Amino acid sequence: MPTTKPNPKFAEELSKLNKKLNFMSVINSSANGKSLFSVKDNLCVKGFESRAGSKILSGYIPPFNATAVQRMLDSGYEFVGKTVMDEFGFGSFGTNTDIVAKNPFDETRVAGGSSSGAAVATAVIKNHVAIAESTGGSISNPASFCGVVGFTPTYGTISRYGLIDYANSLDKVGVMGRRAADIRAAFDRIKGADNYDSTCSDSKISSTPTKKLMIIEQLMKGIDSKVLSSFDLLLSKMQGMGYKVEHASLDIIDKAIPAYYIISMAEASTNLAKYDGYKYGEQGKDFTKKYNDFFCDARSSFGIEAKRRIVLGTFVRSASVKDKYYIKALKFRTALTSKLSSILKDSFLISPTMPTVAPKIDEAAGLSLIKAYSMDSLTIPPNLSGLPHISFPCGYANGMPIGAQLISSHFNDYALLDFVESWEKSFKYEFKYNL
Amino acid sequence: MKIGLEVHVALPTKSKLFCACSTDATEPNSSICPICMGFPGSKPMLNRAALDYASNVSRTLGCMPAQMVSFVRKVYFYPDLPKSYQITQLQEPVGVDGSVEISSKKVKIRRIQLEEDPAKIIRESGYTLMDFNRSGIPLLEIVTEPDIASEEELREFLGELRSILYYVGINIEKELKVDLNISLSKARVEVKNVTGIRNLVDAANYEIKRQTELTSKGKEVVQETRSYNEAEVRTESSREKESDEEYGFIFEPDLTSYKLPSSNAKVVLASKVAREYSRKYGAKEKTILELIQFDRESYALMDHAKDKAEMQKIIAVIELLKKYESTGIGNEKFEELLEIAKSGAQINAELIKKVKSGQRVETSSVNLQSIDKEITTMIKNHKELLKEYEKNPKAFNFIVGEVAAKLKANPRDVAIRLRAVLEKGFKD
């Protein structure tokens, strides 16, 4: 647990910086800078507005804490605030919401997504870890863009109770920090079985090392040259440290993106079905309307990306095409997981985290949908297969951080933290702010 | 005629299917929580007691034992459904391919599934109220094949099913909700949401009559969904097309797969027991069935029988207990009562009360031998009556009365003995 002397002016300084970088939607004014943790806006914190970046949940103040939040509080960490995100986690740049976080290295650039605020908070606050969540890369991506460490554990090791769902079979609560050791400390406190989440277990987390780093050829297409040269530098350093770098070919990995979007949208469209404007969040006003009309009115508050995913998700699970899309994608997930697991038996998978450095905010807005969805090509495979992965800074290009991503086999999460801890002995991360 | 049913039964668990809320709250919206209200962030946790009940029903109905059970989301939009999807079952239900035996046939059970009840909608004039106490109550849906072919079969099936559920610990007197599929010719008519057994039989009869009339007039029966109007005892078109249903089922990703719990609980099929006892002890099958169909205690008491005569006594005592509404007597007290009955003493409300409260009961020394002895004496003295007893029940009753009065014995017992003596053929 990172500790230091309390700073009475901390909340004030935090608010000031937040005005500049837009990374928190709620600040706990009593926080004083000592062993802090922030919480992604899609995790419930009792008594604090939790709206998963969506207008439709404005005013939703959960009557309970998410299990991860409760366990952090019970361990003596102090809640500092809710971090902003793409609406319900739908995005790669943090731009699909009303509060767009800015990259601390360059305010004209995005912070990544969907855990945009969590990555910025980690990049600007010293004694802090961020509790975030990843469905298809929402921890790795912003961690890479903002130059912090982002850890996504094996599916089912941290309880999802209190997580406002995006796609339940893919959603994983995880941790961001400035050092792997900080992440390990938080992870040890929040992991483990929970009476409120049937998919979370007490499986033993191992720390089996390997000196083999595997690169999947198909994933190395379309990567920016600056990112590539930084990644190559990392590889040669690793080879110097006794690691062997090998290449493997895995044709089917190209289908990971469509399979991911089909499953995640199918589940998301059912999760978003509940927002009907009369029990919590934004309240409908005209109760004289017929239910269908009332319901449609309430749902006009969804952003465009949420609406798109509801429509597509509803389509892919409809009776006439379900086998062609939803069921096929589920089968693909099983096949991919088995292929990846066999590669991971005696090696780590390694790649850059993102194909580029953080794009400019207006560039990101101008990307076609296909290009935007393809930004996640490197982070989707481990997320789809529920494999633990970690993104860590491995270099800088023109002042912007570049991240590498390491993947291990199910429940071998500690091996990833061990790897990054040893990396940190020879590589110093850069931070522009140190609140 | 083909009738198929989808029977929805509320399971008597203490808490709801996916949360710890109590199932027996009365004050509206007093037994609710973030889970059964579907609040963002909440997740369901399966109540294993509901799975136990479901497993027992599945076993009793002779379903193929399910390896694993899993759940799906059935998505539709209605204000009574807090998550806008119902957690139910599709590919791996609790049971498939079972049956219920009635006197004329086996009614096949297609599937049994576990699901959550939606909230209750209370419609008032000009506004609607919602009570979420019911949201998340565990329901068991039992789907039959369209094997029921008459009102009699329908009644018998329902009695049999109710009895089976009763012995699993589920009383469906009040909570029975049924979708009725009924077709006399080609077109299948579905009458949705009929509550209670009487309404169900009435709705079926109405449909039989309506469809018969249409057919006899040469008109076609429209394939449609109808609802039942209880006040007017008739079904009405709901103006919905069946084919419009699109639920977009997906696997429920918040739950895992569950092994169906195995159970050693005894399977009791009351009608089978009645048949067996009738064969073994010569008592009337119908009488036994009536006594035990919804009465676990009577069933247990009949276990005491060692022979035909004792079974008759037991049945007589159980009937008396029922007559005097004196249930819950327990084994020991029942034995005592049975002994008193065997001694020939008359059992009445007062005596039952005494035995129940543990008071000593002075029984006369009347026993079967003394009854037989007195009967013999009576017959010897009234040979002329004996000749007429078959034609003249008065003669029979006269002897019973005399003997009972003399010995202060139970006239019923005397009658039983007298008949036995006469049937054996009285020898001078």
Side-chain angles (χ1 to χ4, degrees):
Chain A
M1 193 187 304
T3 52
T4 183
K5 274 185 206 152
N7 170 6
K9 282 193 167 168
F10 177 79
E12 203 182 303
E13 288 168 14
L14 179 62
S15 295
K16 217 170 127 193
L17 186 59
N18 191 41
K19 285 207 178 80
K20 200 168 153 190
L21 298 176
N22 291 336
F23 55 100
M24 283 188 177
S25 55
V26 174
I27 288 176
N28 178 11
S29 53
S30 63
N32 63 13
K34 196 181 116 185
S35 355
L36 299 168
F37 77 106
S38 64
V39 179
K40 188 177 178 179
D41 196 26
N42 59 355
L43 279 146
C44 292
V45 180
K46 189 176 174 177
F48 290 90
E49 186 185 53
S50 301
R51 61 185 183 95
S54 181
K55 194 169 161 257
I56 208 161
L57 272 172
S58 298
Y60 175 50
I61 300 189
F64 59 97
N65 278 322
T67 299
V69 171
Q70 189 60 51
R71 288 180 181 177
M72 287 299 277
L73 291 170
D74 292 346
S75 305
Y77 285 85
E78 190 179 19
F79 169 64
V80 61
K82 302 293 305 274
T83 55
V84 304
M85 58 182 285
D86 286 295
E87 184 176 17
F88 291 108
F90 304 153
S92 306
F93 307 114
T95 50
N96 291 334
T97 184
D98 53 349
I99 310 174
V100 177
K102 293 175 181 167
N103 196 301
F105 286 87
D106 175 352
E107 288 158 40
T108 66
R109 291 176 187 270
V110 301
S114 69
S115 310
S116 48
V120 178
T122 308
V124 301
I125 307 171
K126 283 192 304 242
N127 302 298
H128 157 272
V129 287
I131 304 302
E133 176 275 337
S134 171
T135 307
S138 289
I139 290 176
S140 279
N141 163 332
S144 169
F145 283 172
C146 293
V148 301
V149 185
F151 167 62
T152 308
T154 304
Y155 180 84
T157 47
I158 299 177
S159 168
R160 290 181 298 110
Y161 191 75
L163 174 69
I164 300 172
D165 308 306
Y166 165 3
N168 321 48
S169 74
L170 296 160
D171 295 345
K172 297 156 292 282
V173 175
V175 188
M176 291 187 200
R178 286 183 165 203
R179 295 181 309 145
D182 296 345
I183 291 173
R184 186 193 296 265
F187 176 56
D188 280 342
R189 287 178 168 93
I190 61 178
K191 71 177 165 57
D194 178 16
N195 285 336
Y196 290 94
D197 178 4
S198 332
T199 62
C200 181
S201 74
D202 258 337
S203 299
K204 193 179 178 301
I205 311 291
S206 62
S207 171
T208 311
T210 169
K211 286 281 177 187
K212 198 155 116 190
L213 300 176
M214 192 67 87
I215 292 166
I216 294 179
E217 282 166 3
Q218 284 82 356
L219 293 181
M220 300 304 287
K221 292 178 295 190
I223 292 176
D224 181 89
S225 60
K226 284 192 228 87
V227 174
L228 262 188
S229 57
S230 187
F231 180 66
D232 286 340
L233 203 60
L234 167 73
L235 291 183
S236 55
K237 279 182 193 165
M238 292 307 0
Q239 279 163 327
M241 287 163 75
Y243 282 89
K244 252 174 44 194
V245 178
E246 288 182 20
H247 292 254
S249 174
L250 188 57
D251 282 343
I252 64 163
I253 209 152
D254 289 342
K255 296 201 185 78
I257 294 178
Y260 164 77
Y261 276 99
I262 287 167
I263 296 171
S264 66
M265 287 179 183
E267 290 182 15
S269 66
T270 67
N271 288 321
L272 297 193
K274 67 169 74 162
Y275 301 107
D276 54 8
Y278 86 98
K279 293 188 294 291
Y280 37 73
E282 203 176 52
Q283 295 294 297
K285 282 161 201 80
D286 191 354
F287 280 87
T288 63
K289 283 190 172 169
K290 288 212 176 298
Y291 182 68
N292 281 356
D293 298 331
F294 180 86
F295 183 83
C296 290
D297 275 2
R299 293 165 73 80
S300 63
S301 300
F302 281 128
I304 181 72
E305 187 58 26
K307 286 177 182 166
R308 178 180 294 125
R309 295 194 190 200
I310 291 170
V311 172
L312 289 174
T314 304
F315 172 70
V316 297
R317 62 183 164 82
S318 60
S320 57
V321 296
K322 184 179 171 179
D323 287 347
K324 214 162 94 184
Y325 296 114
Y326 174 64
I327 300 293
K328 195 171 175 184
L330 290 181
K331 284 181 183 155
F332 174 80
R333 169 160 72 181
T334 309
L336 177 70
T337 305
S338 130
K339 292 257 188 217
L340 290 177
S341 294
S342 79
I343 295 175
L344 289 166
K345 258 183 203 149
D346 63 348
S347 56
F348 289 127
L349 277 169
I350 197 162
S351 71
T353 307
M354 297 301 290
T356 66
V357 296
K360 299 249 182 198
I361 293 174
D362 51 0
E363 271 170 27
L367 282 180
S368 73
L369 209 56
I370 295 280
K371 280 231 171 84
Y373 286 180
S374 301
M375 286 294 276
D376 302 329
S377 60
L378 299 160
T379 60
I380 278 175
N383 275 284
L384 189 56
S385 293
L387 294 163
H389 52 286
I390 195 163
S391 174
F392 57 96
C394 68
Y396 297 85
N398 305 333
M400 290 308 293
I402 289 165
Q405 180 177 267
L406 193 72
I407 307 170
S408 187
S409 54
H410 288 128
F411 302 108
N412 195 28
D413 301 47
Y414 284 142
L416 299 174
L417 293 165
D418 293 345
F419 181 99
V420 177
E421 270 178 47
S422 91
W423 167 248
E424 287 167 356
K425 284 178 191 148
S426 62
F427 187 85
K428 203 171 169 332
Y429 303 152
E430 295 171 16
F431 300 105
K432 281 188 84 175
Y433 301 88
N434 288 294
L435 281 184
Chain B
M1 177 166 52
K2 286 178 180 173
I3 299 178
L5 305 175
E6 287 171 33
V7 183
H8 297 88
V9 180
L11 297 179
T13 53
K14 288 193 181 72
S15 55
K16 293 184 180 180
L17 186 53
F18 296 118
C19 64
C21 286
S22 164
T23 51
D24 68 351
T26 43
E27 177 78 15
N29 295 311
S30 63
S31 186
I32 57 175
C33 75
I35 298 170
C36 57
M37 288 292 286
F39 269 41
S42 70
K43 307 272 179 287
M45 281 298 279
L46 181 64
N47 179 350
R48 300 289 179 138
L51 202 56
D52 287 343
Y53 274 114
S55 166
N56 281 339
V57 172
S58 173
R59 226 161 36 95
T60 312
L61 295 180
C63 290
M64 296 229 309
Q67 295 300 310
M68 296 297 269
V69 295
S70 65
F71 294 86
V72 295
R73 293 179 172 183
K74 177 180 179 178
V75 186
Y76 63 94
F77 301 100
Y78 211 62
D80 64 358
L81 204 55
K83 300 185 290 294
S84 296
Y85 59 80
Q86 182 193 33
I87 303 179
T88 176
Q89 299 192 292
L90 194 67
Q91 286 90 349
E92 299 174 297
V94 167
V96 293
D97 294 340
S99 65
V100 170
E101 205 169 338
I102 56 174
S103 39
S104 53
K105 64 170 64 150
K106 269 188 178 176
V107 175
K108 289 189 284 302
I109 302 294
R110 186 182 298 168
R111 57 190 277 124
I112 306 173
Q113 69 188 35
L114 196 54
E115 61 190 29
E116 55 179 344
D117 210 351
K120 195 163 158 188
I121 301 184
I122 301 141
R123 295 189 196 282
E124 303 286 348
S125 65
Y127 62 96
T128 297
L129 296 173
M130 305 290 303
D131 181 0
F132 288 90
N133 284 353
R134 208 179 70 187
S135 172
I137 298 271
L139 288 183
L140 199 63
E141 183 178 312
I142 301 166
V143 185
T144 77
E145 295 292 343
D147 290 345
I148 300 164
S150 66
E151 185 197 334
E152 294 68 46
E153 286 187 3
L154 178 62
R155 282 180 187 278
E156 198 187 340
F157 171 79
L158 289 170
E160 195 61 36
L161 182 65
R162 270 179 62 211
S163 174
I164 286 168
L165 294 173
Y166 167 83
Y167 274 97
V168 176
I170 305 165
N171 197 337
I172 57 167
E173 197 61 61
K174 279 176 249 161
E175 293 300 330
L176 186 84
K177 243 188 309 178
V178 181
D179 296 342
L180 172 77
N181 290 302
I182 181 164
S183 65
L184 267 67
S185 50
K186 276 182 221 154
R188 193 181 72 124
V189 173
E190 184 172 25
V191 187
K192 281 216 170 232
N193 276 323
V194 188
T195 319
I197 286 180
R198 214 199 61 212
N199 287 337
L200 179 62
V201 174
D202 287 349
N205 275 331
Y206 181 87
E207 268 307 303
I208 294 168
K209 207 174 134 221
R210 186 183 72 88
Q211 293 186 28
T212 310
E213 275 175 20
L214 280 173
T215 317
S216 69
K217 282 180 196 155
K219 288 182 186 167
E220 229 174 86
V221 178
V222 183
Q223 178 145 338
E224 61 176 349
T225 301
R226 299 176 73 85
S227 62
Y228 180 65
N229 182 331
E230 190 177 340
E232 293 176 29
V233 198
R234 58 193 236 105
T235 67
E236 291 160 354
S237 175
S238 309
R239 300 180 207 297
E240 287 173 24
K241 279 188 207 134
E242 279 179 279
S243 55
D244 288 347
E245 289 170 2
E246 165 68 87
Y247 295 119
F249 291 100
I250 64 163
F251 296 106
E252 170 49 90
D254 278 335
L255 297 167
T256 58
S257 284
Y258 302 84
K259 240 180 125 167
L260 203 60
S262 58
S263 159
N264 302 316
K266 199 171 163 189
V267 170
V268 179
L269 293 168
S271 54
K272 213 170 148 189
V273 170
R275 200 152 52 239
E276 210 178 285
Y277 282 4
S278 168
R279 242 192 338 256
K280 208 162 151 190
Y281 303 118
K284 260 195 185 158
E285 187 178 329
K286 202 177 157 214
T287 310
I288 300 174
L289 185 60
E290 271 169 13
L291 291 179
I292 64 169
Q293 197 169 19
F294 303 106
D295 192 342
R296 209 172 280 113
E297 193 193 11
S298 298
Y299 165 69
L301 296 177
M302 282 187 192
D303 244 13
H304 291 238
K306 289 179 204 79
D307 53 34
K308 206 165 160 175
E310 192 167 26
M311 187 55 135
Q312 274 178 342
K313 273 282 174 230
I314 288 171
I315 290 174
V317 175
I318 291 173
E319 280 176 334
L320 284 166
L321 285 171
K322 282 194 193 272
K323 183 177 163 193
Y324 297 121
E325 292 172 356
S326 193
T327 51
I329 188 156
N331 258 338
E332 215 172 291
K333 300 266 161 69
F334 184 78
E335 286 285 3
E336 200 177 319
L337 213 50
L338 196 59
E339 281 313 308
I340 295 167
K342 281 180 188 164
S343 75
Q346 183 148 18
I347 291 174
N348 53 29
E350 207 184 328
L351 193 132
I352 291 171
K353 220 165 149 188
K354 269 189 182 171
V355 171
K356 249 185 132 175
S357 64
Q359 288 180 54
R360 260 184 70 83
V361 178
E362 295 294 336
T363 50
S364 67
S365 55
V366 185
N367 56 36
L368 294 179
Q369 278 91 347
S370 60
I371 292 176
D372 285 4
K373 205 174 147 202
E374 193 57 34
I375 286 172
T376 316
T377 320
M378 282 295 282
I379 294 173
K380 268 184 192 163
N381 297 341
H382 298 88
K383 275 187 191 154
E384 71 289 358
L385 282 175
L386 174 67
K387 286 172 198 151
E388 298 171 44
Y389 97 95
E390 274 175 324
K391 278 180 269 169
N392 182 5
K394 272 185 189 162
F396 185 87
N397 290 340
F398 169 75
I399 293 175
V400 170
E402 289 289 298
V403 175
K406 196 165 176 193
L407 295 174
K408 292 195 173 73
N410 184 345
R412 226 190 124 115
D413 297 323
V414 178
I416 290 168
R417 293 310 306 160
L418 178 57
R419 186 161 283 121
V421 170
L422 290 174
E423 274 166 11
K424 245 194 279 167
F426 176 71
K427 286 187 196 99
D428 202 358

